[in-house]
Amino acid sequence: MLELIQVLGLGLVVLLPLANPLTTVALFLGLAGNMNREERNRQSMMASIYVFIIMMVAYYAGQVVMNTFGISIPGLRIAGGLIVAFIGFRMLFPQHKAHDAPEVSSKSEELSKSNDVNIAFVPLAMPSTAGPGTIAMIISSASTIGHGTQFSSWVLLVAPPLVFFLVSLILWACLRSSGAIMKLVGKGGIEAISRLMGFLLVCMGVQFIINGVLEIVKNYAA
């Protein structure tokens, strides 16, 4: 049992900085400002479930899928960077005008009544939480786990799903607490957070692309 706790702690230390649930909360605040409480709770639960599924697939089948379709880690980083940058531009330059009150009110009513608005998978689960860095780390860990480790085989078998579950649980708890943050900052604060997160997402997306390109150059140079 002590070995299992050690592996779980190590897994959380490695994955949580990459998943960064607090960044996802800030993104959620920017995107879910017009949703009612029930819809926000539903999106929070679905995002957590999606993150768990993505991590499980990446661990058990990620390398096979990438090899089958000829996808490299740099390609994964660049694609994720493009998605993140696109979402950031949409948040930084929204199509509707903030001062257009009738449009804002009608949009709020539409979002509150509609069940078709889904931000759980994209961008909350992927690429915000289970992004290129997280997936690359999981795939590389899956290919190297068990080599040169002193942990028991049953621990290495049980620990990965538990680590992914704990990361998803932490994300769910953070997203559920976003309602209190929304009440605290108000509608103007939500819009400001949305613009700020849009800018940060553009920067993150560009950095993902740069990392992917540098990795390609490094591989070809070697």
Side-chain angles (χ1 to χ4, degrees), residues 166-213:
L166 289 176
V167 172
S168 302
L169 186 64
I170 292 172
L171 173 65
W172 175 79
C174 292
L175 292 179
R176 282 295 295 263
S177 65
S178 63
I181 302 176
M182 287 184 174
K183 293 180 181 178
L184 182 65
V185 300
K187 203 164 187 176
I190 295 297
E191 185 174 346
I193 292 175
S194 178
R195 299 294 180 91
L196 177 61
M197 279 309 302
F199 175 72
L200 292 178
L201 283 178
V202 172
C203 296
M204 289 170 57
V206 172
Q207 189 61 52
F208 282 155
I209 296 172
I210 292 174
N211 292 342
V213 172

Side-chain angles (χ1 to χ4, degrees), residues 26-44:
L27 178 61
F28 186 60
L29 288 174
L31 293 176
N34 291 322
M35 293 182 180
N36 54 41
R37 185 169 177 267
E38 291 75 15
E39 183 64 17
R40 288 200 305 269
N41 291 341
R42 189 180 73 86
Q43 295 288 334
S44 302

